């Protein structure tokens, strides 16, 4: 697929839709305008309290190539947020007596390594030891092509267990891909049909569906490239299945989460099972606290799409973001939204990209490493900017904050050069890296 880059004026500066409910939202509006105007974000966001939206809006374009602006009906691929939907439908099957947590994977897929020791509980909690399909070294060669279940199963059958089932937690998309298939077998319906019957139609969700673009309203996704957005290749939706092939909007994600925690989809006993955490993960839910508040939700990423949804049962409040172009730390956006929702102070980000001379940039070029750290960081310079690339990872752009400090906001990463060394910060990680000769 040809990748397209459009001029800067087309990509940014358009705030297409904004609707607010019930409180002063000028400051949170300013955040999204700032992100949009500084080439950091295109997408949509929403905040819900009980069953009422108190904030929602959309920014940028759903489709740059055809100049289609984002609006309240723009649909985004939500990636792994799909796993919460899959887990809920698994719980519904359990309530119907068709499935049990201690059922073995061998009941459905006996040809897989360790299937006689892996339980449904292990898979829902990512404790199965199954190797993740998306970590396959050949994944980038086949992810855009249609695949049958048989083809994917044959590939998965070649994988060996990574650890003894139940011994630890390691996130693997294979778990939920298989769960989606076994739900199809139990119901006699496709995953897409099951989603509509079990969740979307009962909740009145008009923009939540699986597998294929719907009535031309699905957004395309983009990644940053210089001063514009670059169209991303699209994962064929036959690949992620129950692990990540659902599309939705932030508003409908919150309707779903509110319904889940309000007893409209599963029983209180089943919900307690879903939120019974091991290593901060339940059934299709991560523990996502905000100060002293207990929240549950999930994040997602597929191609250039990024998403997150979190719900706080005690206050019946949720927040969700769906983006089709992101060059900023999504968690920072979510923290600002939650601070707004719960009346906490927060600061708008400052974007003060400066020009650094070609000579100074060239002096930083090289490959940097730190003792005991498994990845090296290669720094390159072109067209007046620095780019970084970790071992085995895609290249990403830095923005200058000073002549010696550069940031990659999408990952919350900053680097500073001093005396021939590179000092890296990301979250709690602090590294001093030396340039290789």
């Amino acid at each position: 697929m040809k990748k397209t880059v459009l001029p800067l004026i087309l990509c940014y500066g358009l705030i297409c839709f904004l609707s607010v409910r019930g409180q002063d939202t000028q400051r949170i509006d300013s955040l999204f305008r700032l992100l949009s105007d500084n080439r950091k974000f295109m997408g949509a966001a929403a905040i819900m309290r009980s069953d009422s939206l108190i904030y929602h809006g959309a920014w940028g374009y759903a489709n740059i190539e055809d100049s289609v602006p984002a609006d309240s009906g723009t649909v985004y691929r939500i990636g792994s947020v799909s796993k919460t939907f899959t887990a809920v439908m698994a719980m519904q099957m359990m309530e119907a007596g068709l499935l049990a947590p201690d059922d073995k994977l061998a009941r459905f897929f006996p040809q897989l390594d360790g299937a006689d020791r892996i339980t449904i509980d292990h898979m829902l909690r990512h404790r199965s030891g199954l190797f993740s399909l998306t970590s396959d070294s050949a994944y980038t060669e086949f992810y855009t092509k249609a695949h049958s279940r048989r083809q994917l199963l044959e590939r998965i059958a070649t994988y060996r267990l990574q650890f003894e089932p139940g011994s630890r937690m390691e996130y693997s998309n294979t778990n939920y891909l298989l769960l989606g298939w076994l739900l199809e077998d139990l119901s006699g319906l496709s995953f897409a049909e099951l989603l509509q019957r079990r969740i979307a139609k009962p909740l009145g969700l008009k923009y939540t569906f699986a597998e294929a673009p719907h009535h031309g309203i699905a957004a395309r996704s983009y990644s940053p490239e210089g001063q514009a957005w670059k169209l991303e290749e699209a994962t064929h939706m036959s690949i992620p299945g129950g692990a990540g092939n659902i599309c939705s909007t932030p508003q409908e994600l919150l309707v779903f989460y509110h319904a889940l925690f309000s007893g409209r989809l599963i029983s209180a006993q089943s919900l307690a099972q879903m939120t019974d955490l091991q290593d901060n993960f339940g059934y299709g839910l991560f523990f996502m606290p905000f100060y002293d508040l207990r929240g549950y939700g999930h994040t997602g990423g597929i191609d250039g799409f990024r998403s997150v949804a979190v719900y706080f049962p005690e206050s019946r409040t949720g927040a969700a973001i769906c983006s089709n172009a992101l060059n900023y730390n999504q968690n920072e956006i979510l923290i600002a939204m939650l601070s707004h929702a719960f009346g906490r102070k927060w600061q708008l980000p400052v974007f003060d990209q400066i020009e650094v001379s070609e000579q100074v940039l060239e002096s930083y070029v090289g490959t940097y490493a730190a003792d005991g750290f498994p990845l090296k960081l290669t720094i390159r310079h072109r067209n007046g900017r620095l780019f970084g690339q970790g071992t085995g990872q895609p290249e990403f752009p830095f923005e200058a904050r000073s002549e010696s400090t550069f940031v990659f906001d999408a990952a919350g990463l900053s680097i500073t050069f001093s005396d021939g060394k590179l000092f890296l910060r990301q979250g709690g990680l602090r590294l001093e890296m030396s340039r290789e000769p």
Side-chain angles (χ1 to χ4, degrees):
M1 181 183 295
K2 184 178 180 180
K3 296 189 176 181
T4 305
V5 178
L6 273 77
L8 173 64
I9 193 169
L10 180 62
C11 296
Y12 310 106
L14 179 64
I15 298 179
C16 308
F17 170 83
L18 185 64
S19 177
V20 298
R21 297 288 186 271
Q23 58 176 286
D24 178 16
T25 58
Q26 182 177 355
R27 197 147 180 270
I28 197 74
D29 294 346
S30 298
L31 169 67
F32 284 105
R33 289 191 179 96
L34 185 63
L35 293 170
S36 177
D37 290 346
N38 282 276
R39 308 180 302 278
K40 300 296 184 183
F41 176 86
M42 292 199 301
I47 303 172
M48 175 181 279
R49 183 163 293 125
S50 295
D51 57 357
S52 298
L53 284 172
I54 61 173
Y55 183 83
H56 61 116
W59 298 264
Y61 287 89
N63 179 332
I64 293 174
E65 291 69 35
D66 298 323
S67 300
V68 178
D71 61 25
S72 60
T74 299
V75 173
Y76 302 85
R77 293 185 175 185
I78 63 170
S80 287
V81 180
S82 303
K83 291 180 173 66
T84 309
F85 290 82
T86 301
V88 167
M89 291 188 288
M91 298 309 299
Q92 291 172 338
M93 294 294 181
M94 292 181 193
E95 290 180 354
L98 300 175
L99 189 66
D102 57 358
D103 280 348
K104 297 293 195 296
L105 179 59
R107 173 185 167 189
F108 303 95
F109 305 110
Q111 69 272 42
L112 302 183
D113 187 34
D116 59 338
R117 307 195 305 280
I118 296 170
T119 66
I120 300 302
D121 179 85
H122 290 149
M123 296 167 67
L124 286 164
R125 297 183 183 279
H126 293 292
R127 303 179 72 85
S128 67
L130 290 165
F131 180 75
S132 183
L133 176 74
T134 52
S135 297
D136 191 316
S137 60
Y139 183 73
T140 56
E141 300 171 10
F142 67 81
Y143 78 102
T144 61
K145 303 177 179 66
H147 280 65
S148 66
R149 181 202 287 202
R150 180 184 59 80
Q151 288 173 309
L152 293 173
L153 263 177
E154 287 177 353
R155 183 177 291 275
I156 293 170
T158 67
Y159 303 151
R160 303 274 71 83
L161 279 184
Q162 302 300 290
F163 54 86
E164 185 61 25
S167 62
R168 60 187 174 91
M169 186 268 198
E170 185 172 304
Y171 194 91
S172 171
N173 284 303
T174 301
N175 289 310
Y176 278 75
L177 180 58
L178 295 171
L179 285 166
W181 290 338
L182 68 86
L183 292 177
E184 290 181 330
D185 292 344
L186 290 171
S187 66
L189 301 172
S190 70
F191 185 80
E193 292 170 326
L194 191 63
L195 176 68
Q196 290 302 308
R197 291 197 188 186
R198 291 280 187 165
I199 296 176
K201 288 184 178 179
L203 298 183
L205 305 181
K206 298 179 180 179
Y207 302 107
T208 300
F209 50 86
E211 292 184 356
H214 183 62
H215 303 311
I217 58 176
R220 296 179 180 178
S221 75
Y222 303 86
S223 59
E225 184 175 71
Q227 298 299 304
W229 295 116
K230 176 180 66 177
L231 180 64
E232 279 287 323
E233 297 278 359
T235 298
H236 195 280
M237 295 303 256
S238 63
I239 302 288
N245 76 351
I246 295 177
C247 304
S248 191
T249 68
Q251 302 95 297
E252 291 203 346
L253 286 179
L254 294 180
V255 171
F256 163 69
Y257 272 87
H258 178 66
L260 170 60
F261 283 89
S262 299
R264 293 182 59 191
L265 293 172
I266 57 175
S267 69
Q269 182 179 356
S270 293
L271 181 62
Q273 193 168 357
M274 283 189 69
T275 56
D276 178 22
L277 304 172
Q278 294 182 25
D279 297 318
N280 282 330
F281 195 80
Y283 283 6
L285 291 169
F286 282 106
F287 178 54
M288 300 173 68
F290 182 67
Y291 292 92
D292 57 343
L293 302 173
R294 293 181 63 85
Y296 301 89
H298 214 291
T299 58
I302 185 167
D303 308 322
F305 293 99
R306 297 292 180 268
S307 59
V308 61
V310 59
Y311 189 83
F312 298 86
E314 290 185 4
S315 62
R316 304 179 74 190
T317 300
I321 304 167
C322 294
S323 68
N324 61 324
L326 186 65
N327 188 22
Y328 191 72
N329 190 323
Q330 180 176 255
N331 193 54
E332 293 297 320
I333 304 175
L334 182 62
I335 288 172
M337 292 176 65
L338 294 176
S339 296
H340 171 78
F342 292 112
R344 288 187 170 271
K345 292 182 179 180
W346 57 280
Q347 299 296 320
L348 288 169
V350 176
F351 302 115
D352 51 359
Q353 165 78 355
I354 68 168
E355 298 295 326
V356 180
S357 72
E358 299 276 337
Q359 183 179 2
V360 170
L361 293 175
E362 186 62 32
S363 72
Y364 299 143
V365 170
T367 298
Y368 295 78
D371 290 341
F373 189 67
L375 300 181
K376 296 181 180 181
L377 181 61
T378 299
I379 301 296
R380 301 185 181 92
H381 159 233
R382 64 176 181 273
N383 301 325
R385 298 189 74 183
L386 285 187
F387 293 81
Q389 185 171 22
T391 305
Q393 300 178 357
E395 187 179 71
F396 53 90
F398 283 108
E399 293 185 354
R401 291 290 182 264
S402 72
E403 278 207 343
S404 59
T405 297
F406 301 80
V407 299
F408 178 49
D409 284 325
L413 174 68
S414 71
I415 57 172
T416 300
F417 297 93
S418 178
D419 298 326
K421 295 183 180 296
L422 181 156
F423 297 87
L424 180 150
R425 293 189 176 191
Q426 185 179 38
L429 178 65
R430 302 288 187 272
L431 278 180
E432 179 182 320
M433 307 182 80
S434 300
R435 182 160 46 191
E436 294 185 334

